[in-house]
Amino acid sequence: MESKQKLLAIIGPTAVGKTKLSIEMAKRFNGEIISGDSMQIYRGMDIGTAKITNDETEGIPHHLIDIKEPEDSFSVAEFQHLVRKKIAEIASRGKLPIIVGGTGLYIQSVIYDYNFSEAPADEAFRLILEERARGIGNEALHLELKKVDPESAAQIHPNNVRRVIRALEIYHCTGKMMSEYQKEQQPDLLYNIALIGLTMDRLKLYERINTRVQLMMHEGLLEEVSGLHKKGLRDCQSIQAIGYKEIYDFLDGRATLEEAVENLKQNSRRYAKRQLTWFRNKMDVEWFDMTEVLDFSKKIKEISDYVEGKLQVKSNT
């Protein structure tokens, strides 16, 4: 039997410290990093997505960052294809692929062998939904999905019409939510994976998120979003991202700047809570608490020891 490719995945909520840890792991295990963030793919959206800077990479190669224009759409299926290809490419160089991010559905789609093509289909119903989407708009169709399958709706962007329609089609044909159908499949893990989750006391995490938002504003988030706004970017996936839609509300006169910043903090905190819930419910994760890390090198060793044991790989240190 052919052995599975080794893969390290680092997941967790926004602002928990994934980037810092991933650099340390890449240095120790001769790794290259693949971004598992659904928004860092967009060029010119750097501050609001907390994209890693050249200095912060410390020379470690990073992949799937800045590969799309902000007006482009991006689906889970496309992400899955690109990441699996990149994992094989990195491994062929004798390096350890490390996927890092907080977009649960995207990372889950890569590591598990889901096959939605086996779910029942109704082409006539699909055509009706496509026509409805053109008539009532993406948001309204997404709202219909939210009523019957709130779990899938929370993970699928309204502009990803094809996937919204597929979720509605599965419900129409089986009476089951796509999320239920997913659970019943019990998919296999495609990789020999060490799946590390970082967590933190909620109040401390929220404090870090609030501080990060203030730092983003200081670093020029308003100017970054204004540039996209001036280009006339409107109904596209990228602008719905947290950090962009709130500033758009200010630029469009729907909120004061102070209100927009507070909304950004609140939405980021809520997102972090949703991320943690998703990871805990959907994936078999080895959790490491980053709340009171007084000695970072000790925590690094603890995590490294776990990775060594799980993947049977040797650390450089």
Side-chain angles (χ1 to χ4, degrees):
M1 191 182 86
E2 194 179 338
S3 61
K4 292 179 180 177
Q5 168 57 47
K6 291 172 182 176
L7 175 68
L8 171 57
I10 301 171
I11 61 172
T14 187
V16 79
K18 297 185 296 293
T19 300
K20 187 178 178 185
L21 177 70
S22 67
I23 296 293
E24 289 301 320
M25 291 295 108
K27 287 196 285 194
R28 282 179 174 243
F29 294 106
N30 192 25
E32 294 188 17
I33 293 170
I34 303 167
S35 170
D37 186 291
S38 60
M39 289 298 157
Q40 291 188 356
I41 57 161
Y42 293 112
R43 298 184 192 103
M45 296 177 67
D46 305 332
I47 299 168
T49 64
K51 203 176 283 177
I52 193 165
T53 64
N54 281 336
D55 287 345
E56 287 169 341
T57 65
E58 296 187 38
I60 302 294
H62 280 64
H63 305 277
L64 297 201
I65 292 175
D66 293 339
I67 61 167
K68 291 271 185 181
E69 295 301 331
E71 57 269 29
D72 296 338
S73 62
F74 192 62
S75 69
V76 178
E78 189 178 355
F79 177 81
Q80 181 192 65
H81 170 72
L82 288 173
V83 173
R84 286 179 181 173
K85 192 175 166 188
K86 196 57 75 175
I87 287 169
E89 181 192 304
I90 292 167
S92 74
R93 292 196 288 271
K95 302 286 191 78
L96 177 67
I98 304 172
I99 186 166
V100 183
T103 311
L105 181 69
Y106 277 57
I107 292 175
Q108 190 185 33
S109 76
V110 170
I111 65 176
Y112 290 105
D113 189 18
Y114 283 113
N115 186 3
F116 290 112
S117 60
E118 289 177 7
D122 182 337
E123 200 160 334
F125 181 70
R126 196 183 311 154
L127 291 170
I128 290 167
L129 289 181
E130 285 170 4
E131 189 61 41
R132 276 181 64 69
R134 285 191 285 272
I136 64 175
N138 299 353
E139 292 282 351
L141 193 70
H142 187 263
L143 206 58
E144 291 186 10
L145 177 61
K146 197 173 179 180
K147 286 174 188 167
V148 297
D149 187 353
E151 202 172 313
S152 295
Q155 296 297 326
I156 303 171
H157 192 277
N159 287 344
N160 192 349
V161 181
R162 185 183 59 78
R163 195 165 170 82
V164 170
I165 287 173
R166 184 63 179 131
L168 283 166
E169 184 184 20
I170 288 172
Y171 184 78
H172 167 75
C173 293
T174 66
K176 293 174 185 169
M177 299 186 291
M178 189 163 79
S179 45
E180 284 180 281
Y181 188 82
Q182 225 176 31
K183 283 168 193 162
E184 285 176 7
Q185 276 197 304
Q186 295 182 315
D188 293 328
L189 271 169
L190 288 176
Y191 301 97
N192 174 11
I193 189 168
L195 185 52
I196 288 168
L198 302 186
T199 187
M200 187 176 278
D201 170 76
R202 192 161 287 179
L203 287 178
K204 182 164 184 183
L205 181 65
Y206 288 174
E207 195 180 293
R208 281 172 66 106
I209 288 169
N210 291 341
T211 302
R212 175 182 272 193
V213 170
Q214 288 301 144
L215 185 62
M216 284 176 173
M217 293 305 294
H218 178 70
E219 288 175 343
L221 180 62
L222 178 57
E223 291 74 16
E224 179 172 281
V225 182
S226 295
L228 300 169
H229 190 266
K230 280 173 191 162
K231 284 181 184 171
L233 286 171
R234 282 280 157 194
D235 300 317
C236 46
Q237 206 170 318
S238 61
I239 301 306
Q240 301 309 311
I242 295 170
Y244 294 85
K245 60 183 179 183
E246 294 86 359
I247 304 296
Y248 259 60
D249 283 344
F250 163 65
L251 295 170
D252 289 337
R254 290 189 294 271
T256 65
L257 185 57
E258 192 180 346
E259 286 168 342
V261 171
E262 280 309 307
N263 287 340
L264 171 47
K265 288 177 181 176
Q266 185 181 56
N267 289 338
S268 298
R269 293 192 301 266
R270 284 176 177 162
Y271 179 56
K273 188 179 175 183
R274 286 201 307 275
Q275 284 174 302
L276 279 168
T277 303
W278 170 271
F279 291 134
R280 289 196 171 119
N281 290 343
K282 302 278 188 184
M283 298 161 106
D284 185 17
V285 180
E286 186 73 21
W287 291 100
F288 293 89
D289 196 312
M290 307 299 282
T291 307
E292 296 296 339
V293 179
L294 301 173
D295 184 351
F296 190 64
S297 60
K298 196 175 172 186
K299 182 62 74 171
I300 289 290
K301 178 159 189 340
E302 183 192 343
I303 295 171
S304 293
D305 288 348
Y306 171 76
V307 174
E308 282 192 33
K310 184 78 176 170
L311 296 183
Q312 298 298 298
V313 289
K314 274 308 212 182
S315 165
N316 296 329
T317 56

